[in-house]
Amino acid sequence: MSRIQRLSPRLANQIAAGEVVERPASVVKEVLENSLDAGASRIEIDVEAAGSKLIRIRDNGAGIDSEDLPLALSRHATSKIVSLEDLECVGSLGFRGEALASIGSVSRLTLTSNPRDDSSEGCTALCEGRDMEVQLRPASHPRGTTVEVRDLFFNTPARRKFLRTEKTEFNHLEEVVKRLALSRFEVGFMLRHNGKVIHSLASANSVAERQRRVAAVCGPAFIEQALFIDVQRGDMRLWGWIGLPTFSRSQSDLQYFFVNGRVIRDKLVAHAVKQAYRDVLFHGRHSAFVLYLELDPTQVDVNVHPGKHEVRFRDSRAVHQCIFSGLHRALADVRPVSAQPTVATPEGLAVDTQTGEIARQPGLGWGAPAAYSPSSMPSLGQAREQVRSYAGLHPAALPASDTPEAVPPLGYALAQLKGIYILAENAEGLVLVDMHAAHERITYERLKAARALDVIPGQPLLVPEAIAVSEREVALVQDHADVFARLGLVVDVAGEESLMVRQIPVTLRGSDVAALVRDVLSDLAEYGSSDRIEAHMDEILSTMACHGSVRANRRLTVPEMNALLRDMEETERSGQCNHGRPTWTRMTLDELDKLFLRGR
Ligand code: ADP
Ligand code: MG
């Protein structure tokens, strides 16, 4: 071994850079965070060659005194904390004092700043050489700061080799800008790549403007099919937009979670969200959300990771519960509703500032499935008009009462199509219901409700039914007698390889008893010991619900169809079946008119 030597400042910084400066996107993240910490209200980002050639970020924040510029570029120098106590309740995005020093050690960096409103005279600093000495010279600059990072990794070829294609690197970089744009609605952002404007986001203050920004960042389809939630639990507040279960994604790429304005990826959060969506999402699909958790900063430790995208919650159970119950509640309300907002926004209703009218924007918690887009919802007046004109056409389709408000959200059944779909008419137009999917959800929710009361009520069979099974299945019945009892099933062992079913749940009257018991047995076999059953009880119930539901091709009478529609309106989560497929959709008169090119 050779003698111990002190690392040169540049080398020490380059080693530290390994943790925070992985690619151009990480530079953008650090520099943008500094601009936000400096209170900027407008930030412009210019990049060339996905940032590997140039990243220039200009803000109108507080600026840096020329005497402080050398310090800003040196390691372990920060204006954001002075003591350990500060760290306990840090409100800034940065605090480690190493980003600029790290970036400066692996690129050609210049920092130009002016802290004064009344002068356009600023100062530029660039650091050079192995000891990172800082050179200063005067420069004209309005109040604020510009950071210019050229030739990233020019002196660390090993790092440079790890960079991907320009497209991939730019995607990462754009993602960083999107996250920060979602974290600070009040700040205006402009992103240009190779001279072309990619995002131009004006500062967003009203609910409508915020929704516009979310639409610009996450795509308009998301906001059109999202619910707005805002829940308070103790001193925690959770608000934002959650995608309807029918707006699911093949990847978890539209999931943004902010804790006190800082974007994070957290297992606990992911778990709570997943659990909330468990019952309503199509298998293997991912939910979409933009959520903000606000809590006392002393309740969360952000100094867990150099990138600060991981946090530790002091009371993680309370956080889990807040997220789970907030989302679960909102998703449970996804059922056909009349045009009444079900969730209040923080500012109350979204009021159009221009006209003073209540804006009927999507995403404000109208509690409706995808196709029931509130943006196309007619006003009450229009709806009344429509109902009147309907009434003339199809008096039989309406209830005896002539008050239009009396038309329920899913309207009244007209007919059944191919034994699969119910056609109904409501105030807005045509409603189409997948009767099997809808009935399955209703049955499932009833079974769950009954389970919550501990035991699902059973009904003895007039003629007990014998089923031939394997010895292993007989053993399962013996081992899980308590589970069967709670499911409302009475199954006796009739022989080495036979069972006798004496009772089934009332709700499942008329279903295929043998198939039902076999499926429950296979669930039990798959999920193993009885203490794991609790967790999978819902899946078993879901399987049972499938058996008990009306099969396609069954003819229903009009009163039966109407009863199903009313049940759907009453049932939680009835906007989608147990597998996450939508249960109903509609076509408004307007849409039908468009289809038939009928001008009105
Ligand atoms: P940290 O953000 O952890 O403090 P940085 O290396 O990112 O460390 O920045 C060092 C210091 O430089 C900051 O504490 C801040 O005082 C100053 N600074 C950096 N960027 C800006 C900016 N855009 N506007 C004003 N001050 C800045
Ligand atoms: Mg910083």
PDB file of all heavy atoms in Angstrom, residues 262-282:
ATOM      1  N   ARG A 262     -42.240  17.556  -2.078  1.00  0.00           N
ATOM      2  CA  ARG A 262     -41.076  16.827  -2.582  1.00  0.00           C
ATOM      3  C   ARG A 262     -41.573  15.524  -3.191  1.00  0.00           C
ATOM      4  O   ARG A 262     -42.332  14.788  -2.561  1.00  0.00           O
ATOM      5  CB  ARG A 262     -40.155  16.531  -1.402  1.00  0.00           C
ATOM      6  CG  ARG A 262     -38.836  15.902  -1.742  1.00  0.00           C
ATOM      7  CD  ARG A 262     -38.144  15.470  -0.455  1.00  0.00           C
ATOM      8  NE  ARG A 262     -37.801  16.589   0.414  1.00  0.00           N
ATOM      9  CZ  ARG A 262     -36.723  17.352   0.270  1.00  0.00           C
ATOM     10  NH1 ARG A 262     -35.894  17.118  -0.713  1.00  0.00           N
ATOM     11  NH2 ARG A 262     -36.486  18.339   1.101  1.00  0.00           N
ATOM     12  N   VAL A 263     -41.179  15.252  -4.437  1.00  0.00           N
ATOM     13  CA  VAL A 263     -41.642  14.015  -5.068  1.00  0.00           C
ATOM     14  C   VAL A 263     -40.893  12.842  -4.449  1.00  0.00           C
ATOM     15  O   VAL A 263     -39.690  12.912  -4.208  1.00  0.00           O
ATOM     16  CB  VAL A 263     -41.438  14.052  -6.601  1.00  0.00           C
ATOM     17  CG1 VAL A 263     -39.980  13.988  -6.989  1.00  0.00           C
ATOM     18  CG2 VAL A 263     -42.218  12.932  -7.272  1.00  0.00           C
ATOM     19  N   ILE A 264     -41.632  11.796  -4.143  1.00  0.00           N
ATOM     20  CA  ILE A 264     -40.970  10.634  -3.547  1.00  0.00           C
ATOM     21  C   ILE A 264     -41.489   9.334  -4.158  1.00  0.00           C
ATOM     22  O   ILE A 264     -42.561   9.274  -4.736  1.00  0.00           O
ATOM     23  CB  ILE A 264     -41.155  10.557  -2.019  1.00  0.00           C
ATOM     24  CG1 ILE A 264     -42.653  10.473  -1.677  1.00  0.00           C
ATOM     25  CG2 ILE A 264     -40.513  11.717  -1.303  1.00  0.00           C
ATOM     26  CD1 ILE A 264     -42.910   9.494  -0.563  1.00  0.00           C
ATOM     27  N   ARG A 265     -40.672   8.302  -4.023  1.00  0.00           N
ATOM     28  CA  ARG A 265     -41.075   6.941  -4.371  1.00  0.00           C
ATOM     29  C   ARG A 265     -40.960   6.176  -3.076  1.00  0.00           C
ATOM     30  O   ARG A 265     -39.897   6.138  -2.476  1.00  0.00           O
ATOM     31  CB  ARG A 265     -40.111   6.337  -5.391  1.00  0.00           C
ATOM     32  CG  ARG A 265     -40.287   6.903  -6.764  1.00  0.00           C
ATOM     33  CD  ARG A 265     -40.716   5.806  -7.734  1.00  0.00           C
ATOM     34  NE  ARG A 265     -41.377   6.391  -8.890  1.00  0.00           N
ATOM     35  CZ  ARG A 265     -42.386   5.831  -9.528  1.00  0.00           C
ATOM     36  NH1 ARG A 265     -42.866   4.676  -9.118  1.00  0.00           N
ATOM     37  NH2 ARG A 265     -42.941   6.407 -10.553  1.00  0.00           N
ATOM     38  N   ASP A 266     -42.044   5.598  -2.641  1.00  0.00           N
ATOM     39  CA  ASP A 266     -41.991   4.974  -1.333  1.00  0.00           C
ATOM     40  C   ASP A 266     -42.819   3.700  -1.333  1.00  0.00           C
ATOM     41  O   ASP A 266     -43.929   3.673  -1.842  1.00  0.00           O
ATOM     42  CB  ASP A 266     -42.528   5.963  -0.291  1.00  0.00           C
ATOM     43  CG  ASP A 266     -42.382   5.440   1.105  1.00  0.00           C
ATOM     44  OD1 ASP A 266     -41.333   5.676   1.710  1.00  0.00           O
ATOM     45  OD2 ASP A 266     -43.321   4.774   1.579  1.00  0.00           O
ATOM     46  N   LYS A 267     -42.254   2.651  -0.768  1.00  0.00           N
ATOM     47  CA  LYS A 267     -42.929   1.354  -0.737  1.00  0.00           C
ATOM     48  C   LYS A 267     -44.241   1.413   0.025  1.00  0.00           C
ATOM     49  O   LYS A 267     -45.243   0.832  -0.370  1.00  0.00           O
ATOM     50  CB  LYS A 267     -42.021   0.332  -0.043  1.00  0.00           C
ATOM     51  CG  LYS A 267     -41.033  -0.338  -0.962  1.00  0.00           C
ATOM     52  CD  LYS A 267     -40.744  -1.749  -0.430  1.00  0.00           C
ATOM     53  CE  LYS A 267     -39.532  -2.357  -1.122  1.00  0.00           C
ATOM     54  NZ  LYS A 267     -38.326  -2.277  -0.308  1.00  0.00           N
ATOM     55  N   LEU A 268     -44.201   2.124   1.143  1.00  0.00           N
ATOM     56  CA  LEU A 268     -45.389   2.222   1.986  1.00  0.00           C
ATOM     57  C   LEU A 268     -46.532   2.888   1.230  1.00  0.00           C
ATOM     58  O   LEU A 268     -47.675   2.430   1.260  1.00  0.00           O
ATOM     59  CB  LEU A 268     -45.026   3.042   3.227  1.00  0.00           C
ATOM     60  CG  LEU A 268     -46.155   3.375   4.170  1.00  0.00           C
ATOM     61  CD1 LEU A 268     -46.125   2.451   5.358  1.00  0.00           C
ATOM     62  CD2 LEU A 268     -46.073   4.817   4.636  1.00  0.00           C
ATOM     63  N   VAL A 269     -46.197   3.968   0.530  1.00  0.00           N
ATOM     64  CA  VAL A 269     -47.193   4.689  -0.251  1.00  0.00           C
ATOM     65  C   VAL A 269     -47.731   3.790  -1.355  1.00  0.00           C
ATOM     66  O   VAL A 269     -48.944   3.654  -1.540  1.00  0.00           O
ATOM     67  CB  VAL A 269     -46.581   5.975  -0.855  1.00  0.00           C
ATOM     68  CG1 VAL A 269     -47.532   6.611  -1.844  1.00  0.00           C
ATOM     69  CG2 VAL A 269     -46.213   6.954   0.258  1.00  0.00           C
ATOM     70  N   ALA A 270     -46.807   3.147  -2.080  1.00  0.00           N
ATOM     71  CA  ALA A 270     -47.216   2.266  -3.181  1.00  0.00           C
ATOM     72  C   ALA A 270     -48.151   1.181  -2.660  1.00  0.00           C
ATOM     73  O   ALA A 270     -49.169   0.864  -3.291  1.00  0.00           O
ATOM     74  CB  ALA A 270     -45.987   1.641  -3.833  1.00  0.00           C
ATOM     75  N   HIS A 271     -47.845   0.639  -1.503  1.00  0.00           N
ATOM     76  CA  HIS A 271     -48.658  -0.434  -0.945  1.00  0.00           C
ATOM     77  C   HIS A 271     -50.060   0.057  -0.586  1.00  0.00           C
ATOM     78  O   HIS A 271     -51.052  -0.597  -0.887  1.00  0.00           O
ATOM     79  CB  HIS A 271     -47.971  -1.030   0.281  1.00  0.00           C
ATOM     80  CG  HIS A 271     -48.709  -2.191   0.857  1.00  0.00           C
ATOM     81  ND1 HIS A 271     -49.623  -2.048   1.872  1.00  0.00           N
ATOM     82  CD2 HIS A 271     -48.713  -3.498   0.516  1.00  0.00           C
ATOM     83  CE1 HIS A 271     -50.139  -3.241   2.149  1.00  0.00           C
ATOM     84  NE2 HIS A 271     -49.600  -4.129   1.345  1.00  0.00           N
ATOM     85  N   ALA A 272     -50.108   1.218   0.058  1.00  0.00           N
ATOM     86  CA  ALA A 272     -51.411   1.757   0.468  1.00  0.00           C
ATOM     87  C   ALA A 272     -52.290   2.027  -0.756  1.00  0.00           C
ATOM     88  O   ALA A 272     -53.491   1.736  -0.751  1.00  0.00           O
ATOM     89  CB  ALA A 272     -51.215   3.037   1.282  1.00  0.00           C
ATOM     90  N   VAL A 273     -51.682   2.568  -1.816  1.00  0.00           N
ATOM     91  CA  VAL A 273     -52.453   2.871  -3.024  1.00  0.00           C
ATOM     92  C   VAL A 273     -52.936   1.570  -3.666  1.00  0.00           C
ATOM     93  O   VAL A 273     -54.094   1.434  -4.052  1.00  0.00           O
ATOM     94  CB  VAL A 273     -51.596   3.673  -4.026  1.00  0.00           C
ATOM     95  CG1 VAL A 273     -52.324   3.816  -5.349  1.00  0.00           C
ATOM     96  CG2 VAL A 273     -51.254   5.047  -3.461  1.00  0.00           C
ATOM     97  N   LYS A 274     -52.026   0.627  -3.744  1.00  0.00           N
ATOM     98  CA  LYS A 274     -52.367  -0.642  -4.381  1.00  0.00           C
ATOM     99  C   LYS A 274     -53.528  -1.311  -3.636  1.00  0.00           C
ATOM    100  O   LYS A 274     -54.450  -1.839  -4.244  1.00  0.00           O
ATOM    101  CB  LYS A 274     -51.137  -1.551  -4.351  1.00  0.00           C
ATOM    102  CG  LYS A 274     -51.130  -2.532  -5.474  1.00  0.00           C
ATOM    103  CD  LYS A 274     -49.764  -3.131  -5.645  1.00  0.00           C
ATOM    104  CE  LYS A 274     -49.840  -4.158  -6.768  1.00  0.00           C
ATOM    105  NZ  LYS A 274     -48.579  -4.770  -7.041  1.00  0.00           N
ATOM    106  N   GLN A 275     -53.449  -1.260  -2.338  1.00  0.00           N
ATOM    107  CA  GLN A 275     -54.497  -1.876  -1.538  1.00  0.00           C
ATOM    108  C   GLN A 275     -55.841  -1.180  -1.778  1.00  0.00           C
ATOM    109  O   GLN A 275     -56.874  -1.827  -1.853  1.00  0.00           O
ATOM    110  CB  GLN A 275     -54.107  -1.799  -0.069  1.00  0.00           C
ATOM    111  CG  GLN A 275     -54.882  -2.757   0.797  1.00  0.00           C
ATOM    112  CD  GLN A 275     -54.354  -2.750   2.215  1.00  0.00           C
ATOM    113  OE1 GLN A 275     -53.143  -2.641   2.438  1.00  0.00           O
ATOM    114  NE2 GLN A 275     -55.238  -2.864   3.169  1.00  0.00           N
ATOM    115  N   ALA A 276     -55.796   0.129  -1.928  1.00  0.00           N
ATOM    116  CA  ALA A 276     -57.038   0.872  -2.150  1.00  0.00           C
ATOM    117  C   ALA A 276     -57.665   0.512  -3.495  1.00  0.00           C
ATOM    118  O   ALA A 276     -58.879   0.512  -3.650  1.00  0.00           O
ATOM    119  CB  ALA A 276     -56.779   2.375  -2.069  1.00  0.00           C
ATOM    120  N   TYR A 277     -56.830   0.210  -4.466  1.00  0.00           N
ATOM    121  CA  TYR A 277     -57.323  -0.111  -5.817  1.00  0.00           C
ATOM    122  C   TYR A 277     -57.568  -1.609  -6.007  1.00  0.00           C
ATOM    123  O   TYR A 277     -58.024  -2.025  -7.053  1.00  0.00           O
ATOM    124  CB  TYR A 277     -56.305   0.339  -6.865  1.00  0.00           C
ATOM    125  CG  TYR A 277     -56.451   1.773  -7.333  1.00  0.00           C
ATOM    126  CD1 TYR A 277     -55.726   2.796  -6.745  1.00  0.00           C
ATOM    127  CD2 TYR A 277     -57.309   2.094  -8.390  1.00  0.00           C
ATOM    128  CE1 TYR A 277     -55.839   4.106  -7.191  1.00  0.00           C
ATOM    129  CE2 TYR A 277     -57.429   3.396  -8.843  1.00  0.00           C
ATOM    130  CZ  TYR A 277     -56.685   4.400  -8.244  1.00  0.00           C
ATOM    131  OH  TYR A 277     -56.811   5.689  -8.702  1.00  0.00           O
ATOM    132  N   ARG A 278     -57.171  -2.387  -5.013  1.00  0.00           N
ATOM    133  CA  ARG A 278     -57.121  -3.842  -5.198  1.00  0.00           C
ATOM    134  C   ARG A 278     -58.398  -4.424  -5.794  1.00  0.00           C
ATOM    135  O   ARG A 278     -58.359  -5.229  -6.719  1.00  0.00           O
ATOM    136  CB  ARG A 278     -56.855  -4.516  -3.845  1.00  0.00           C
ATOM    137  CG  ARG A 278     -56.721  -6.013  -3.910  1.00  0.00           C
ATOM    138  CD  ARG A 278     -56.333  -6.546  -2.561  1.00  0.00           C
ATOM    139  NE  ARG A 278     -57.317  -6.195  -1.553  1.00  0.00           N
ATOM    140  CZ  ARG A 278     -58.356  -6.949  -1.244  1.00  0.00           C
ATOM    141  NH1 ARG A 278     -58.535  -8.091  -1.844  1.00  0.00           N
ATOM    142  NH2 ARG A 278     -59.223  -6.561  -0.330  1.00  0.00           N
ATOM    143  N   ASP A 279     -59.496  -3.985  -5.272  1.00  0.00           N
ATOM    144  CA  ASP A 279     -60.778  -4.556  -5.638  1.00  0.00           C
ATOM    145  C   ASP A 279     -61.325  -4.090  -6.977  1.00  0.00           C
ATOM    146  O   ASP A 279     -62.302  -4.621  -7.450  1.00  0.00           O
ATOM    147  CB  ASP A 279     -61.767  -4.109  -4.561  1.00  0.00           C
ATOM    148  CG  ASP A 279     -62.367  -5.295  -3.906  1.00  0.00           C
ATOM    149  OD1 ASP A 279     -61.894  -6.396  -4.181  1.00  0.00           O
ATOM    150  OD2 ASP A 279     -63.314  -5.101  -3.133  1.00  0.00           O
ATOM    151  N   VAL A 280     -60.755  -3.050  -7.511  1.00  0.00           N
ATOM    152  CA  VAL A 280     -61.407  -2.416  -8.654  1.00  0.00           C
ATOM    153  C   VAL A 280     -60.552  -2.372  -9.907  1.00  0.00           C
ATOM    154  O   VAL A 280     -61.018  -1.977 -10.965  1.00  0.00           O
ATOM    155  CB  VAL A 280     -61.851  -0.968  -8.314  1.00  0.00           C
ATOM    156  CG1 VAL A 280     -62.987  -0.988  -7.312  1.00  0.00           C
ATOM    157  CG2 VAL A 280     -60.701  -0.137  -7.805  1.00  0.00           C
ATOM    158  N   LEU A 281     -59.290  -2.780  -9.781  1.00  0.00           N
ATOM    159  CA  LEU A 281     -58.398  -2.629 -10.922  1.00  0.00           C
ATOM    160  C   LEU A 281     -58.272  -3.953 -11.670  1.00  0.00           C
ATOM    161  O   LEU A 281     -58.176  -5.003 -11.063  1.00  0.00           O
ATOM    162  CB  LEU A 281     -57.019  -2.187 -10.419  1.00  0.00           C
ATOM    163  CG  LEU A 281     -56.209  -1.299 -11.325  1.00  0.00           C
ATOM    164  CD1 LEU A 281     -56.977  -0.029 -11.676  1.00  0.00           C
ATOM    165  CD2 LEU A 281     -54.897  -0.927 -10.658  1.00  0.00           C
ATOM    166  N   PHE A 282     -58.253  -3.864 -12.979  1.00  0.00           N
ATOM    167  CA  PHE A 282     -58.078  -5.047 -13.802  1.00  0.00           C
ATOM    168  C   PHE A 282     -56.735  -5.675 -13.468  1.00  0.00           C
ATOM    169  O   PHE A 282     -55.746  -4.982 -13.274  1.00  0.00           O
ATOM    170  CB  PHE A 282     -58.135  -4.647 -15.281  1.00  0.00           C
ATOM    171  CG  PHE A 282     -58.365  -5.802 -16.196  1.00  0.00           C
ATOM    172  CD1 PHE A 282     -59.607  -6.432 -16.221  1.00  0.00           C
ATOM    173  CD2 PHE A 282     -57.366  -6.253 -17.030  1.00  0.00           C
ATOM    174  CE1 PHE A 282     -59.830  -7.499 -17.067  1.00  0.00           C
ATOM    175  CE2 PHE A 282     -57.585  -7.327 -17.877  1.00  0.00           C
ATOM    176  CZ  PHE A 282     -58.822  -7.948 -17.899  1.00  0.00           C
TER     177      PHE A 282
END
